[in-house]
């Protein structure tokens, strides 16, 4: 991409607070964006070849949305925690293996998209994100759901297409004996419907606690593609109550 074209984008961003430069073959996060740290609210650099998100990303104190889908990023700098106004962080289709615990300092975050990476352990520190609506960790390599997931207060959790199975983690559990899905808590008092997606994992029917059907606010519980027939959920206590919630939500959005 030529300097003149980039200059035009920068001039427009100075006025609008939005910088979008997708599928242009960029190999680095544009250094020129540092001139706009006081202006930028939205950045979208999807579909490029960026491998490193520089520590200087922490300078964009007014940023609300950062999208870097389909790049080659392997890690996030701890400085990302400085983006206190960030509401959307989307990093689908990268090569991320682990996430910094400082991610939990993004108190305004509402949407965290990490689908299609190489994450093998559930990210730590997310329980402090009290405004988080959507957590998408689908299409990763997660095997266990640790006990600290019970701290999450999230409207939708997507764990589709991982490798989750019912077995205990080698780390000490503060709540031993709780099943994978009992560790996942969704907020009780909210006008939104609650969604828990665990499709195409390695769970068996005994992994499904009756409490998630009987007592929770989950109105869409998606477990297709595991080690049991979904129709067998009907035999579990609490299934009728779950179906009441499911039907009520379906009518609301019909």
């Amino acid at each position: 991409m030529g300097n003149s074209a980039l200059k035009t984008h920068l001039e427009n961003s100075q006025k609008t607070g939005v910088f979008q430069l997708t599928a242009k073959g960029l190999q680095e996060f544009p250094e020129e964006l540092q001139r706009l740290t006081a202006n930028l609210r939205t950045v979208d650099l999807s579909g490029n070849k960026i491998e490193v998100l520089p520590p200087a990303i922490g300078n964009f104190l007014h940023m609300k949305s950062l999208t870097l889908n389909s790049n080659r990023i392997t890690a996030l700098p701890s400085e990302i925690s400085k983006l206190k106004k960030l509401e959307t962080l989307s990093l689908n289709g990268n090569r991320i293996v682990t996430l910094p615990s400082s991610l939990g300092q993004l108190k305004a975050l509402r949407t965290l998209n990490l689908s299609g990476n190489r994450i093998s352990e559930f990210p730590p520190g997310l329980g402090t994100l009290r405004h988080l609506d959507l957590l998408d960790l689908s299409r990763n390599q997660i095997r266990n759901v640790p006990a600290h997931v019970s701290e999450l207060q999230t409207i939708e959790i997507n764990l589709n297409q991982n490798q989750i199975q019912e077995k205990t983690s080698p780390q000490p559990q503060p709540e031993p004996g709780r099943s994978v899905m009992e560790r996942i808590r969704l907020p009780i008092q909210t006008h939104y419907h609650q969604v828990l997606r665990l499709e195409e994992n390695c769970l068996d029917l005994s992994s499904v606690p009756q409490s998630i059907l009987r007592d929770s606010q989950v109105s869409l519980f998606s477990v297709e593609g595991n080690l049991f027939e979904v129709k067998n959920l009907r035999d579990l206590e609490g299934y009728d109550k779950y179906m009441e919630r499911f039907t009520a939500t379906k009518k609301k959005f019909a």
Side-chain angles (χ1 to χ4, degrees):
M1 184 175 183
N3 289 333
S4 59
L6 179 58
K7 182 179 179 181
T8 300
H9 277 276
L10 291 170
E11 289 175 350
N12 291 335
S13 299
Q14 181 79 32
K15 301 172 185 176
T16 65
V18 176
F19 186 85
Q20 184 175 27
L21 198 59
T22 60
K24 297 297 182 182
L26 296 179
Q27 297 184 355
E28 297 180 347
F29 190 90
E31 186 177 349
E32 293 85 352
L33 289 183
Q34 290 297 318
R35 308 175 196 166
L36 304 177
T37 54
N39 300 81
L40 281 185
R41 305 292 190 275
T42 300
V43 171
D44 187 351
L45 294 169
S46 298
N48 286 290
K49 300 177 181 179
I50 298 170
E51 296 183 7
V52 177
L53 194 59
I57 191 68
N59 296 333
F60 294 88
L61 301 181
H62 300 286
M63 189 179 295
K64 291 189 174 183
S65 177
L66 176 59
T67 303
L68 288 155
N69 297 333
S70 302
N71 277 279
R72 300 176 181 178
I73 297 169
T74 58
L76 300 180
S78 60
E79 287 82 1
I80 199 167
S81 64
K82 296 179 181 179
L83 307 183
K84 303 301 184 184
K85 296 184 178 181
L86 194 66
E87 297 179 359
T88 299
L89 178 58
S90 190
L91 294 157
N92 296 338
N94 278 278
R95 302 174 182 179
I96 297 170
V97 177
T98 59
L99 295 165
S101 58
S102 59
L103 209 61
Q105 297 177 31
L106 299 176
K107 303 298 186 183
L109 201 62
R110 291 187 174 276
T111 300
L112 179 55
N113 290 322
L114 294 162
S115 177
N117 279 279
R118 300 175 182 178
I119 300 168
S120 59
E121 295 185 2
F122 202 96
L126 302 184
T128 58
L129 302 179
R130 299 306 185 191
H131 299 289
L132 193 63
D133 293 333
L134 171 64
L135 173 60
D136 189 349
L137 286 164
S138 61
R139 297 189 297 114
N140 277 284
Q141 301 166 17
I142 298 171
R143 291 180 177 273
N144 297 309
V145 179
H148 65 71
V149 175
S150 64
E151 300 171 1
L152 288 174
Q153 297 185 26
T154 306
I155 291 172
E156 177 173 348
I157 300 176
N158 189 340
L159 290 165
N160 288 349
Q161 296 181 352
N162 277 278
Q163 300 168 22
I164 298 170
Q165 52 191 307
E166 181 56 38
K167 67 178 185 179
T168 57
S169 173
Q171 288 81 21
Q173 300 287 345
E175 298 176 275
R178 300 184 76 195
S179 72
V180 163
M181 285 177 275
E182 284 178 316
R183 295 175 199 145
I184 300 175
R185 178 165 65 92
L186 295 168
I188 292 176
Q189 297 181 347
T190 174
H191 63 282
Y192 294 105
H193 61 296
Q194 315 300 299
V195 180
L196 176 55
R197 302 184 188 276
L198 282 157
E199 296 176 17
E200 298 183 45
N201 279 281
C202 305
L203 296 165
D204 57 37
L205 188 61
S206 64
S207 303
V208 181
Q210 296 175 2
S211 60
I212 208 165
L213 299 173
R214 184 186 61 233
D215 304 324
S216 78
Q217 294 297 309
V218 174
S219 58
L220 178 56
F221 182 42
S222 189
V223 289
E224 288 81 1
N226 279 279
L227 304 180
F228 61 91
E229 294 289 335
V230 176
K231 64 181 181 181
N232 292 337
L233 285 175
R234 301 171 188 170
D235 299 328
L236 298 180
E237 182 184 349
Y239 181 78
D240 290 342
K241 289 191 174 181
Y242 161 68
M243 285 306 299
E244 288 175 5
R245 298 192 302 272
F246 174 81
T247 302
T249 301
K250 189 175 181 180
K251 287 181 180 178
K252 185 185 300 183
F253 292 94

